Amino acid sequence: MAHSEQEILAGLAEIVSEETGLPTDSVLPEKSFTDDLDIDSLSMMTIVTLAEEKFDVRIPDDEVKNLVTVGDAVSFIAGASKA
Amino acid sequence: MSHPIDVVVTGLGATTPLGGDAPTTWAAALAGESGARPFENDWVEKYGLPVTFAATIKVTPDEVLPRPEIKRMDPSAQYAIIAAREAWADAGSPEVDGERLGAVVSSGIGGIWTTLDGWDTLREKGARRILPMTVPMLMPNSPSAYVSLEFGAKAGAHALVSACASGAEAIGYGVEMIRTGRADVVIAGGTEATIHPMPIAAFAASRTLSLRNDDPTGASRPYDTDRDGFVIGEGAGVVVLESAAHAAARGARVYGRIAGVGLSADGYHITSPEPSGDGQIRAMNSALAESGVAASDIVHVNAHATSTVVGDLIEARSVRGVLGEDSDHVALSATKSMTGHLLGGAGALETIFTVLALHDRQAPPTINVENPDPELVLDLVRDKPRALPEGDIAAINNSFGFGGHNVALVVTSA
């Protein structure tokens, strides 16, 4: 089932918040996972794994490096869940 | 002759079935409380567990730790980090070069919740759903590694595994790190989080657990004639060890000293203790020899005594074998009667109890002993704490583990 970008952002913010302890309202589309949210590669892979389950999508490993910002991840998941 | 480098205890931390910190746990032990409670879940109905209770942790980590820490640590590491933070703060957060600070935190079994949760996830959802933190959470050195990370302990981070002797062996190794000059300060202890239906079923299968389901708080009864096995517990105990010189230089409060460490193996059977107690006796003798403490100075023994039919008496005879007539003035305490058996955490928690017993001059009670075993050849402290003498006093803390591991620590008053 497809999710709206707003739903994806909210769901992703919950996952990131659980992983990092940051408040959900700090997880904004323009934020960089590494530079702004201080997420290391192991945490990023945890977020990817949880997001795949939550949104029922597949995020290939070689796609993860392209997901620089939260917005990049939202767009990718939105595109993948339409397919 | 005692060792030239004196190792003292300057910080204590614990989270146990009796309380969320060391002072609460100690007060509950002196008051003779039991940490055993019935399971509040469907394990018994669902899996047919023959045991319906355990000594579960009193303050759960989700009441103490932030959510991200809960998610990246197995419960065994969560307990360890809670106890380590308390011990470190209790020691006054010593200023020490990271390369002179060690971490030795053991678990007897490791991250078994993580291992089994991962297996459940794999079977239900497939490989893609296994979380990347699974390996760093299940590895048995995880508690030690997290303590090392938290405090910047770079002299070495170790996790010695010897089943139910692990926590005492960790403290013994911490002492050795200081005595061999590798560190000035070591955060040392043990932890366990094994109250999951699979290991409980497995311990029950080995016929070592008490089946006194109608009386959980009365089930752990070391040296009682009706004892029928141990009560599984969970939690952690952590101490800050320090060279006496380092502690004195910073004006630290000293609770007591770990004067001697004795280690041996039975080389006899994978689960049964060697009947003559030879291995236990060798461990106690070597701890005494290293400590320079005379048998006549030992006023208290915190027994390993898990409440099994065979094990309790072998240990009592071994203590008498080592101390001879001097065992007549030894106050013997079996604190697992209250805490249950913390497995890899037990030896560390009982070291804390031993240190505090000497410090406060009070041997903790052994509860639930209605009819002392007539073969018990020692003076058991029952129901209420017993005053210990003033002046320089010493005690032995014994810890033994499946596999024939024997650890004896000689503790002396500050």
Side-chain angles (χ1 to χ4, degrees), chain B residues 216-305:
Chain B
T217 61
S220 185
R221 44 178 59 221
Y223 300 114
D224 184 82
T225 48
D226 292 327
R227 65 191 183 279
D228 71 331
F230 76 84
V231 172
I232 193 165
E234 62 178 345
V238 173
V239 299
V240 174
L241 302 169
E242 202 163 344
S243 74
H246 193 274
R250 68 182 189 90
R253 171 198 43 204
V254 172
Y255 284 102
R257 41 178 52 75
I258 310 294
V261 179
L263 306 166
S264 75
D266 283 351
Y268 171 75
H269 188 270
I270 195 66
T271 57
S272 300
E274 194 277 320
S276 77
D278 166 69
Q280 301 177 1
I281 289 168
R282 284 185 290 116
M284 282 185 267
N285 277 334
S286 85
L288 278 170
E290 187 188 45
S291 72
V293 169
S296 56
D297 292 331
I298 301 290
V299 297
H300 170 55
V301 171
N302 187 306
H304 181 67

Side-chain angles (χ1 to χ4, degrees), chain B residues 26-33 300 331-335 337-338 357 361-369 379-388:
Chain B
W26 178 235
L30 290 177
E33 292 174 20
H300 170 55
L332 180 75
S333 301
T335 48
S337 59
M338 300 175 288
R361 312 276 161 174
Q362 286 199 90
T366 307
I367 63 168
N368 299 324
V369 183
D379 184 7
L380 188 65
V381 181
R382 288 167 61 188
D383 301 326
K384 289 196 161 44
R386 184 185 302 172
L388 294 175

Side-chain angles (χ1 to χ4, degrees), chain A residues 19-35:
Chain A
E19 179 66 16
T20 60
L22 296 168
T24 49
D25 60 11
S26 69
V27 185
L28 300 168
E30 66 272 20
K31 298 283 186 183
S32 155
F33 286 109
T34 50
D35 297 341

Side-chain angles (χ1 to χ4, degrees), chain B residues 282-369:
Chain B
R282 284 185 290 116
M284 282 185 267
N285 277 334
S286 85
L288 278 170
E290 187 188 45
S291 72
V293 169
S296 56
D297 292 331
I298 301 290
V299 297
H300 170 55
V301 171
N302 187 306
H304 181 67
T306 63
S307 185
T308 59
V309 174
V310 178
D312 290 9
L313 283 181
I314 293 175
E315 180 182 10
R317 284 195 293 265
S318 298
V319 169
R320 183 157 284 276
V322 170
L323 301 178
E325 284 184 9
D326 288 314
S327 39
D328 292 342
H329 56 76
V330 164
L332 180 75
S333 301
T335 48
K336 289 186 183 80
S337 59
M338 300 175 288
T339 62
H341 190 351
L342 272 62
L343 310 178
L349 176 60
E350 288 154 22
T351 300
I352 292 172
F353 284 162
T354 310
V355 167
L356 284 172
L358 298 185
H359 182 263
D360 294 356
R361 312 276 161 174
Q362 286 199 90
T366 307
I367 63 168
N368 299 324
V369 183

